[in-house]
Structure formats: C-alpha cells, structure tokens
Amino acid sequence: GTSAASPVWAALMALADASRGCAGGQVGMALPALYRAAGSDYAGAFNDVRSGNNDFTGTNSGQFAATPGYDMASGLGSPNAATLIPALCASALRLIPIAPQRAARRSMIAPLRVRFSDVPHLGAALRARGLPPGLRLAQATGLIHGTPRRAGLYHVTLTASDRDGARAWERFTWTIGNPTRLFGVSVTGLSVGHPTLAFTVAAGRRSPALQRLTITVPSGLRVYSTRSIVIRSAGRPAPFSASLARGRLTLNLRRAQPRIQVVLGPRSVGPGAGPLAGQLTVTAIGSGGSMSTLRAGIQRR
C-alpha cells in the first residue's frame, strides 16, 4: 500500500511536479515516466533507502520499514534529481504545441498534423474536441483535414494517451472566417481579337489573406504568356511572380493581401477556338494554406 505520509513518496511527487513542464502539465502524467525511469536505470535514478519507518501513526507495528534498495510505501528509493528529471523529460508523453490556426469557410484546409513525443515504439491514441464543424482528426495518420462549414472562433483540445496510462493535452484556437469571394469578372476587346480579362478576389472577414491564385479561363479565351499582367491591392501594385503550365496561370504574391484586382492584358490572353462560354475558375490559396475554389460568369464589355 502507498502511504501519503511517506517522506520518500512526497519527494517523488515533488520531483514529478518539478518535471511537469516536460510531462504535459500534470503530476499524474509524469508518474508513468517515473516508473519507466526506475525500470531502465534504477541505480542511476534512485538512492537506496536503508533505514526509517513510514508507520507515521505508530499503529501498524512497523509494517512499513525501509530496507536496503526498497521503500515500502513507494516501492522506490529516494530520488536522484540530477539523473531522474532528465529521464522524466525524455520519457514523458507530451503533445507538440500547435500555433493558432485560421481558415476561410468553405475552403479546403491544408492537412494539419498532430505530433507527440513518447517512449520509442510505444505510440499514443489521439483525440480532438472542439474542432470547427466540417473538420476531423484521422486516428491512423494524426492529420486534421476537411472543409469548415461554419464561421466562428473555436477552442480545440487535443489529448493523447499511451498504453502505460500516461496522458497529455494541448489547446489551441482555430478561427474560421467568411468565405473568399470572386467578383467583377469582365472581358473587353474580345471582338477585335485583343481581349483584356479583369477580376477581383477578396478574402472574407477574419479569413487568411491571399497568397496564391491559379486561374483557368473558359472556352473562348486562352492564356498564352505571363506578360502584361497587373495586380493591384488598395490601388497600389502588388509584387508577384507568374508561371504558366497547360493553360493554367499561377500567380504567387510576394506578400499576402486581403483583396486584389487582377488584369490580364492582351499580351497574356487571346481569343480561344470558339465563342466565349462557361465560367472563370480561380483557386485561391490563403496564407495558412487553405484553398478556395471560386467560379464566376464573365461579362463582356
């Protein structure tokens, strides 16, 4: 049995409490690591208890006497802090902290991996509470993925537990903002064979700023170069780089912007094989990696 009055046990609890920074924040989480250390290097982590008696009340006929290498109350010797604290930190289960996350409603988030450290090959079961609706944690991979369905501020709690009974938890916030929008899509000059395509993309309130766009034009237009492209934000030029592959134009902003106007001039866009039909498709990727696929009809002017 374990006696709360045991001075050795009290010292072990204090030691476990001292290691809480690497053991997940609670003394109870450090205890499996404590016994792992005892099992792997007892002589280095503990001192023999050779004398004394833990019969604090004096009513148990000395049943809890200490003997060399053993303390009746705790089953362990007195702790060697210099060796034991590093062992507790190395063996304790803990979740790696996750920074606050941000995504737009109806966007596909970049998969977020939940990472933990534990005794090698022991493994841990993961749980997540408070995720935004539409997101889920895959147990097999430890990845959070999906498409958030509702805007708001969500407080997510992650927990991990292993076969030794160790537990750890971690909390972070996830902000889901309003959807990213595509509007003001127009084309001019198509009748004279020198079209100019213009449109605006805006991140929703509390959503990540825009970092990259991939553009696919409808039939009746074609993108054939990366020249004569202009991007503006708040009325000023926004530096970017451009690439073109298989008719898809990719624009990478050097600095994320909440709202941009894109103009593809006649040296980048030309007439297609047939009449103008269909919609403009823009894939907008926010600074956090969330991806929104946007479509809008084109007005001829």
Side-chain angles (χ1 to χ4, degrees):
T2 300
S3 170
S6 165
V8 172
W9 189 247
L12 291 171
M13 292 300 94
L15 191 64
D17 189 36
S19 68
R20 64 186 179 276
C22 62
Q26 296 183 17
V27 174
M29 295 177 186
L31 293 182
L34 188 72
Y35 285 102
R36 290 171 190 159
S40 61
D41 183 21
Y42 183 85
F46 298 91
N47 303 308
D48 279 352
V49 179
R50 299 179 181 276
S51 63
N53 193 297
N54 293 310
D55 184 6
F56 182 75
T57 62
T59 59
N60 291 284
S61 304
Q63 295 182 64
F64 301 108
T67 59
Y70 187 73
D71 172 66
M72 180 64 76
S74 69
L76 301 171
S78 62
N80 180 351
T83 301
L84 192 51
I85 286 183
L88 288 175
C89 291
S91 299
L93 172 64
R94 67 186 182 96
L95 284 159
I96 308 303
I98 295 177
Q101 300 293 304
R102 188 179 294 269
R105 182 165 67 92
R106 296 203 298 263
S107 66
M108 181 179 294
I109 68 165
L112 177 65
R113 186 176 297 278
V114 178
R115 302 180 185 275
F116 63 91
S117 64
D118 200 6
V119 174
H121 310 300
L122 191 60
L126 301 172
R127 298 287 186 274
R129 291 189 295 107
L131 284 171
L135 302 187
R136 67 183 186 90
L137 169 64
Q139 284 285 332
T141 62
L143 293 176
I144 298 174
H145 60 95
T147 299
R149 299 193 302 264
R150 189 180 307 157
L153 177 63
Y154 298 88
H155 299 276
V156 182
T157 300
L158 301 173
T159 59
S161 58
D162 65 20
R163 293 192 299 273
D164 280 356
R167 290 175 57 84
W169 55 265
E170 183 68 33
R171 292 192 180 106
F172 67 98
T173 58
W174 208 319
T175 302
I176 305 300
N178 293 334
T180 303
R181 296 181 299 141
L182 168 65
F183 58 94
V185 183
S186 66
V187 64
T188 59
L190 186 59
S191 60
V192 296
H194 299 290
T196 294
L197 176 65
F199 59 90
T200 298
V201 181
R205 179 176 176 270
R206 302 177 73 184
S207 289
L210 304 169
Q211 191 72 64
R212 184 166 75 249
L213 303 180
T214 300
I215 301 159
T216 303
V217 298
S219 60
L221 293 175
R222 66 186 179 94
V223 180
Y224 63 87
S225 82
T226 58
R227 298 179 296 169
S228 69
I229 299 174
V230 177
I231 299 180
R232 293 184 177 275
S233 176
R236 298 180 179 180
F240 67 96
S241 61
S243 61
L244 181 62
R246 297 182 179 179
R248 290 187 178 183
L249 176 65
T250 299
L251 305 175
N252 290 286
L253 298 169
R254 295 181 185 174
R255 180 179 297 178
Q257 304 289 347
R259 177 184 175 123
I260 57 174
Q261 182 186 36
V262 180
V263 178
L264 307 182
R267 288 190 295 170
S268 61
V269 178
L276 181 63
Q279 296 179 314
L280 175 70
T281 300
V282 176
T283 300
I285 298 178
S287 54
S290 61
M291 181 175 65
S292 301
T293 301
L294 313 170
R295 294 181 177 86
I298 300 178
Q299 296 182 352
R300 296 186 59 163
R301 295 182 181 177

